[in-house]
Amino acid sequence: MPRRVLPRFCSSPFGAFGPALTAALLLVGGAGAAAQGSPLNTNGGFESAALGPVTDLAGGVDGWTLSASGSVSPAPLFTVVEDGAEGSGRALQVTVDGVGPNTFDIQAVATGVPVTPGGTYLLTVQARSEGPGGLVTITAGNSSFQEYGRLGGQVLPDDWKRFAFEFTVADQETVARAPIHFSFQSNVGKSIVIDDLQIVAVDGPGPSGPPLADGLPTFVGSAFSASQTRGFEAYWNQVTAENAGKWGVVEPTRDQMDWTELDAAYALAQDNGLPYRHHVLVWGNQQPAWMAALPPDEQLAEIREWFEAVAARYPDIDFLEVVNEPLHDPPDDPEDGGYIEALGGSGQTGWDWVITAFQLAREVFPADVELMISDFNILSSTATAIEYRQIVTLLQDRDLIDRIGVQGHAFSTWEGAPITQSLDLLAETGLPIHVTEVDFDGNRMPETPVSTADSDQTQLEAIQRVFPALWEHPAVDGITLWGWRPGLWRTPQEAWLVRAGGEERPAMVWLREYLDGQRATPTETEAEREAAWVRNAPNPVTHMTNLSFAVTQPSDVTLSVYDATGRRVAVLVDGVRGPGEYRVPFDAAGLAGGTYLYRLTSGTAVATGTMVIIR
């Protein structure tokens, strides 16, 4: 993946998406995880606050901090009013007469909310606008201004409306906060009223499994992290630790190793019999800062020590990512290790440092560990794929590489990207290809909010376009998503496939049905196979598909489609056909979603198959 600099919004409280943001909009009263217990926040309904204007913004309302930046003029007026939601109680009224450049320049923050790392919570709040077109942004996060979740730019009615989202605490913080932002130009001259903010723990049933690609020849795995834990083994049959296996995470202080999160990922794979990929030994990011101050000979000794520590602790690694992103992020930056010369630098080949890293890995790790490389933007450029293949060939000539990794992030699989052509170029090496980091965006421009329906549709179209190109390529034998729940790296782009409460988005529903369709193969006997065959593509089907069939001698031929109850829903062929292969289009637009059987008879021969129609 490209270089990641985790933002710290010290002067901009929740003004941008933080790296731990994990939210999903819920329809209140709909499906989702169940709320458990009393609210964790204090005074969410303002019942303990004194009526009237609030003059002490920092401490005048128990459980809340109210603020307006110096850039806001005239300043807003915060008032506790006796006009609560549902006709009773108190509420907070925010009268906006001027705004600042950031939405958080006027905010009310629920503070001191006790949470548990990795826990999932439901935030609900009621709000209305005195005047049409009022807006609020509702967020949850930590005291370092990193967001766990948000509902951005919510339009308020003039009557009370409840807003809700779930969020997951994707770090180790134990206290959260929930800012609500009011600094929108459309709020000038209006009063926004909020009430009944509640944050409660949720505990919903997870999926039961088996994994989506269970029993199929190509695995579909996921990155594993604190926010990508719940229900992992029910969806995925391969494990990669997202950040926990990076050297700078394990050994931020020299000779002090922290294996906690990496142990959890490895144990998940071992306990469930899943392939484990270690990510990553050598990279130009998230490396120990102390390495840059060492002379090259000490650096090389520390690299060997790092390799040996991983090999000793995790003896059953299946796939070992030795070098990540050699084209885009080598370890030449003093802030991220600066040890490229210790590995030989460019040298005679231009890539001596990569060769040395693989030689060391081949020496240290067991012979049955498959060594691999990975990089991004390979699928978006055939020129980059050719350059990448040159590195692979150097390694292959020395018997140092067993598979090729290519990242499949959404920014490199855009419409028109030469995905198949790039895979073809790498497949010419004869090595299997592992698509290592895959995601599908719902909102490509997170600074511009989109509706849930639009986000769902954008993501669905992306996965329908990209995933089959990866899955159906003959050289690809594994695909790893870079997370699937809120809290994944591209959370701001709404790339999660399952909402925080467990509801599957349309893209996940499609993925499940697509992979189920890969098991739907013709079921003819060997004798029947010699006489006739039939199959359809694409499968699953959204609208049009083609049924191809063959007969070996002149005969009466019928080709019909049946629903799950055995009712015939279409007759595609009914008449005499001579020997040959045929293709018949089938329009499934009028049929409900589900699994359908098609049946070909040619004289006494019978062949059948199934198709999945998606709605």
Side-chain angles (χ1 to χ4, degrees), residues 130-151:
E130 295 181 350
L135 294 172
V136 294
T137 286
I138 307 161
T139 71
N142 64 26
S143 59
S144 298
F145 310 124
Q146 294 176 348
E147 291 184 359
Y148 302 140
R150 70 156 43 201
L151 295 179

Side-chain angles (χ1 to χ4, degrees), residues 551-562:
V551 296
T552 59
Q553 56 187 355
S555 58
D556 286 325
V557 174
T558 60
L559 177 58
S560 302
V561 180
Y562 300 82

Side-chain angles (χ1 to χ4, degrees), residues 17 46 66 132 187 207 214 325 327 400 406 431 436 445 495 530 605 609:
F17 292 99
F46 304 98
L66 314 178
N187 287 346
D214 186 52
E325 300 173 2
L327 293 174
L400 294 175
V406 294
L431 294 173
T436 56
M445 301 177 64
E530 294 178 356

Side-chain angles (χ1 to χ4, degrees), residues 83-91 126 160 162 195-196:
D83 186 20
E86 301 175 1
S88 63
R90 299 180 179 184
Q126 298 201 58
W160 289 106
R162 185 179 298 276
D195 190 17
D196 194 26

Side-chain angles (χ1 to χ4, degrees), residues 22-88:
T22 67
L25 176 63
L26 300 177
L27 298 177
V28 176
Q36 302 294 316
S38 302
L40 300 171
N41 58 302
T42 300
N43 195 29
F46 304 98
E47 298 308 309
S48 67
L51 290 170
V54 181
T55 55
D56 178 7
L57 299 186
V61 178
D62 186 31
W64 292 83
T65 295
L66 314 178
S67 68
S69 72
S71 63
V72 178
S73 180
L77 177 64
F78 295 91
T79 307
V80 177
V81 296
E82 201 162 16
D83 186 20
E86 301 175 1
S88 63

Side-chain angles (χ1 to χ4, degrees), residues 8-18 21 102-105 107-110 137-150 175-181:
R8 307 284 290 184
F9 305 109
C10 297
S11 62
S12 305
F14 294 173
F17 292 99
L21 177 146
N102 305 296
T103 62
F104 52 79
D105 284 332
Q107 62 178 353
V109 184
T137 286
I138 307 161
T139 71
N142 64 26
S143 59
S144 298
F145 310 124
Q146 294 176 348
E147 291 184 359
Y148 302 140
R150 70 156 43 201
V175 178
R177 61 204 295 268
I180 301 176
H181 304 159

